[in-house]
Amino acid sequence: FRNSHAPAILSKPGKAAVILLFSGLFAFGIYGTIKLPVEDSERNFIPQDSYINSYATASDTYFPTSGTSLYITFENGETIYQNREELASLATRVSDKSQNPPYIAEPDSESTYKNVMTSLKEYLANSGTDAIGGAALGGDTWPTTYEDFVTTLTNYASIKGPGAKYAQDVSFSSDGSDLTAFRIILKYVLLTKEFRGETLDDASRQIEAMDATREMVDSWTDLQPVFPYSEKFIAIEGFKIISVELYRNVGLAIAAVAIIVLVTVGNFVTAFLITLSVTFCIVEILGFMFALGIVIDSVSVINLVLAVGLSVDYSAHIGHCFMVKGGDSKDARATESLADIGASVLNGALSTFLAVAVLLGSTSYVFKTLSIQFALTVGLGVIHGLIFLPVLLSLVGPRPFSSAEQPKDWSAGDVEISEKMNDKTEHLESFGDGGRVSPVENEKDECGES
């Protein structure tokens, strides 16, 4: 590090090259961060060699789904009866919404619109109530009282009634005397997109569809109480918050790192530069995640928060060692810091990389994603700690601690080194130890490394 690495990066051309290189990496990271999508990665958890993948692919090819079902539930039987005409003609309220949020398919068939009130009204207009209880009908072809309406609907939507297909869409009280709720069934259009040759659910449009559906239903003030539900809403709620949670949690983790580094290093400028190095590293990891096709999901978010704690290690040691090196030359202090502790930082990075490298060939989505993100963390973390941060410290680093060791004149040659080694040897021999300690090992102790 003293003879080759430090002179290369701390020379004027070297500093310019380093600043230019890491500025480019950071710009790439910002681009990837902006483009990084939130996607449904549920199928990725299936092992690649599992037969379930073959089944899912065949099912998508030969029996593609037309869209997710949407259920809109209306409560309170008295209110339902009062609004019977509006509920029977609800198709007009959900028409022309397939091209824009909430992306509801046109209600032009039984497959996209199923409403027991619409069906009951048509049945009463055409066949009356003779087969379903014989209740008297008013001029609007509806039963004249709420009690007759409940009886008529009960018979119509019973398992043996003419509207048996709606039996699961109505709910009555335990004694059958009151209608508690009924639901209509709609369909969303298929919200997918092409992403790197694969057809995936379009999470952003699904979020728009869910939010717009709730806004639409809330606007039906004359039909309350009513609420929408879809089996995909649980997953979509996750899509909606996970991106916000990612950036919030990573930001909080970086803020915690800044505070802890400030307390341990004891200098605002050095703590800021270490935190800046960690921030650059995390942003670049996000950029490489986009390049490698890793999306924002529960696995990648957890790994990314862990990456903050891992990446700070490589920079914190260099920053602390820089502060305990005395002298007026920032270049010399950065060089001595790299010479003293650079090898230890590099060895730590290599051992961590080897620990996760065995998982890179895994067929498990969880372990493969973890290994890729940790490999990125180690690789980017160590180059920021051993290249980027020393250059920053050499440019804008603060003065050393008052207790910092005085700079050593390495140009004096072997005479001075031999004298130091002899003094150390004599000291150890006075305790019966004939071992020798090199100046580098002695300086490692002063940087906080054993």
Side-chain angles (χ1 to χ4, degrees), residues 181-200:
F182 90 96
R183 68 183 183 185
I184 66 168
I185 303 177
L186 303 167
K187 283 278 190 180
Y188 285 115
V189 297
L190 195 59
L191 298 175
T192 59
K193 67 178 181 181
E194 292 295 323
F195 182 71
R196 297 183 178 179
E198 296 183 30
T199 301
L200 302 174

Side-chain angles (χ1 to χ4, degrees), residues 409-410 412-423 438-439:
D409 184 10
W410 289 98
D414 295 336
V415 175
E416 183 180 351
I417 296 176
S418 297
E419 289 176 355
K420 291 181 178 294
M421 293 181 67
N422 288 337
D423 290 343
S438 70

Side-chain angles (χ1 to χ4, degrees), residues 35 37-40 60-61 64 190-206 290 293 295:
K35 294 290 186 179
V38 177
E39 301 297 350
D40 184 3
D60 290 342
T61 302
L190 195 59
L191 298 175
T192 59
K193 67 178 181 181
E194 292 295 323
F195 182 71
R196 297 183 178 179
E198 296 183 30
T199 301
L200 302 174
D201 287 343
D202 191 336
S204 60
R205 288 205 296 163
Q206 289 179 344
F290 170 73
V295 300

Side-chain angles (χ1 to χ4, degrees), residues 203-430:
S204 60
R205 288 205 296 163
Q206 289 179 344
I207 293 171
E208 292 176 353
M210 180 182 70
D211 291 343
T213 298
R214 289 171 173 169
E215 291 174 2
M216 176 188 71
V217 171
D218 288 341
S219 69
W220 297 345
T221 55
D222 56 326
L223 302 179
Q224 301 295 327
V226 55
F227 65 89
Y229 175 75
S230 172
E231 61 186 17
K232 287 286 289 184
F233 278 5
I234 295 176
I236 297 172
E237 287 285 4
F239 299 156
K240 185 177 180 179
I241 67 171
I242 195 168
S243 181
V244 176
E245 289 292 324
L246 166 64
Y247 298 118
R248 177 190 299 155
N249 292 340
V250 169
L252 290 174
I254 292 175
V257 163
I259 295 172
I260 294 171
V261 169
L262 177 60
V263 172
T264 54
V265 174
N267 183 275
F268 282 100
V269 176
T270 302
F272 172 76
L273 294 178
I274 292 172
T275 305
L276 182 65
S277 177
V278 172
T279 304
F280 269 50
C281 181
I282 297 302
V283 171
E284 290 158 20
I285 290 174
L286 289 167
F288 278 101
M289 284 172 56
F290 170 73
L292 295 173
I294 299 176
V295 300
I296 297 177
D297 60 16
S298 57
V299 176
S300 62
V301 168
I302 293 172
N303 293 337
L304 198 62
V305 175
L306 293 176
V308 177
L310 289 174
S311 59
V312 69
D313 190 48
Y314 307 113
S315 296
H317 288 305
I318 298 295
H320 177 263
C321 199
F322 179 82
M323 293 304 299
V324 300
K325 294 298 179 183
D328 296 326
S329 173
K330 296 175 184 177
D331 287 352
R333 291 168 59 202
T335 298
E336 291 305 311
S337 300
L338 288 170
D340 281 0
I341 206 167
S344 297
V345 171
L346 181 60
N347 288 337
L350 288 174
S351 62
T352 304
F353 176 79
L354 291 175
V356 299
V358 294
L359 298 175
L360 289 171
S362 174
T363 58
S364 167
Y365 173 72
V366 175
F367 291 124
K368 187 172 183 179
T369 302
L370 181 146
S371 62
I372 292 174
Q373 287 186 275
F374 274 32
L376 287 172
T377 301
V378 173
L380 292 172
V382 75
I383 66 172
H384 280 75
L386 296 181
I387 300 176
F388 183 55
L389 182 60
V391 171
L392 290 181
L393 291 170
S394 71
L395 292 173
V396 295
R399 294 181 61 81
F401 294 141
S402 58
S403 59
E405 63 175 292
Q406 294 304 309
K408 296 178 175 60
D409 184 10
W410 289 98
S411 62
D414 295 336
V415 175
E416 183 180 351
I417 296 176
S418 297
E419 289 176 355
K420 291 181 178 294
M421 293 181 67
N422 288 337
D423 290 343
K424 183 67 72 174
T425 301
E426 290 173 1
H427 176 69
L428 292 174
E429 285 177 347
S430 67

Side-chain angles (χ1 to χ4, degrees), residues 97-174:
K97 298 184 182 298
S98 60
Q99 300 300 317
N100 298 299
Y103 300 112
I104 294 175
E106 294 301 323
D108 51 12
S109 67
E110 280 285 335
S111 62
T112 58
Y113 179 70
K114 187 179 177 186
N115 185 347
V116 64
M117 295 294 286
T118 302
S119 180
L120 177 59
K121 180 180 180 179
E122 293 176 355
Y123 180 85
L124 293 176
N126 295 327
S127 304
T129 61
D130 292 341
I132 52 175
L137 301 179
D140 58 357
T141 70
W142 288 98
T144 56
T145 65
Y146 172 65
E147 290 74 14
D148 287 345
F149 169 72
V150 173
T151 300
T152 301
L153 182 60
T154 300
N155 293 328
Y156 177 75
S158 67
I159 296 177
K160 295 182 179 180
K165 60 184 176 181
Y166 300 103
Q168 299 299 316
D169 299 333
V170 291
S171 176
F172 298 94
S173 60
S174 58

